Amino acid sequence: MPSVEDLIAGLRIIPVVTLHDAAHAAPLADALIEGGLPIAEITFRTAAAADGIRVLAGRDDFCVGAGTVVSTDNANAALAAGARFLVSPGVNPDVVSIAQERCCPVYPGIATPTELTSVVTRFGLEVVKFFPATAIGGLPMLKALAAPFPNIRFIPTGGINAGNVTDWLDHPKVLAVGGSWMVPARAIAEGRFAEITDLAREAVAVSGVA
Ligand code: 3PG
């Protein structure tokens, strides 16, 4: 398997998943693979997150990461479960440190030049999540923020969908986007995995990545 960063750079879309039952993890991964997106960020918004990550961590046909990693408890649980990357909505320096100590890629969310300055200078990060992408000003904000940081690439997340994903991906500093639009929590909970395959396939097709 390629490195996580190479995989993300190649796929360019990270499904952001809310899992209510770890038993859904395997069919969800199968559905995403079928749709062309063998990667997901399982968010620590439910009690099923760590178990869901654990179910997928052993697979070599799928790259599972942890999302909504806001605390050191979340980070330790995600790493113990086998998460291959960590994503946070904001910057918790302790989470970044834990990930770096374990050589695990970590993408804290930043929304301002000050936050970006702090993660760049303190941790040497070169890729960050840009969150919540649409609400904090969309592409104009990203362009303005990216200009003084030419070596930084972004993973915008929040409000991205099949209708606007290409606008984001066209920006040269956008490594990939994250989004939940192809993995609706309700479709997962109701076991409608064929729908997820269709949505993933559509995401891949409109993004022009495949
Ligand atoms: C996240 O946690 O990254 C976001 O909730 C995903 O945003 P979206 O649901 O608007 O895609």
Side-chain angles (χ1 to χ4, degrees), residues 177-196:
V177 301
S180 64
W181 82 91
M182 78 301 285
V183 281
R186 197 156 166 183
I188 298 171
E190 293 174 2
R192 288 186 273 116
F193 295 109
E195 185 179 321
I196 288 166

Side-chain angles (χ1 to χ4, degrees), residues 14 16 18 41 43 45 67-68 87-89 129 131-132 134 156-161 178-182:
I14 304 173
V16 177
T18 298
E41 171 191 326
T43 56
R45 293 176 201 180
T68 321
V87 184
S88 304
K129 174 170 169 163
F131 181 80
T134 305
T157 307
I160 299 177
N161 55 50
S180 64
W181 82 91
M182 78 301 285

Side-chain angles (χ1 to χ4, degrees), residues 101-186:
E101 277 160 21
R102 301 276 297 269
C103 297
C104 179
V106 58
Y107 308 112
I110 62 91
T112 67
T114 301
E115 291 166 354
L116 184 50
T117 299
S118 91
V119 292
V120 168
T121 56
R122 178 159 176 195
F123 296 108
L125 295 185
E126 294 181 343
V127 179
V128 295
K129 174 170 169 163
F130 175 69
F131 181 80
T134 305
I136 57 175
L139 262 172
M141 173 66 174
L142 178 70
K143 284 177 190 161
L145 188 61
F149 297 93
N151 299 324
I152 305 301
R153 286 168 303 161
F154 298 86
I155 303 177
T157 307
I160 299 177
N161 55 50
N164 61 19
V165 63
T166 49
D167 296 338
W168 288 100
L169 291 176
D170 281 348
H171 191 279
K173 291 298 160 56
V174 169
L175 180 73
V177 301
S180 64
W181 82 91
M182 78 301 285
V183 281
R186 197 156 166 183

Side-chain angles (χ1 to χ4, degrees), residues 22-33 55-56 59 188 191 193-194 196-197:
H24 293 142
L28 170 70
D30 292 339
L32 287 171
I33 291 168
V55 166
L56 300 176
R59 290 177 64 152
I188 298 171
F193 295 109
I196 288 166
T197 294

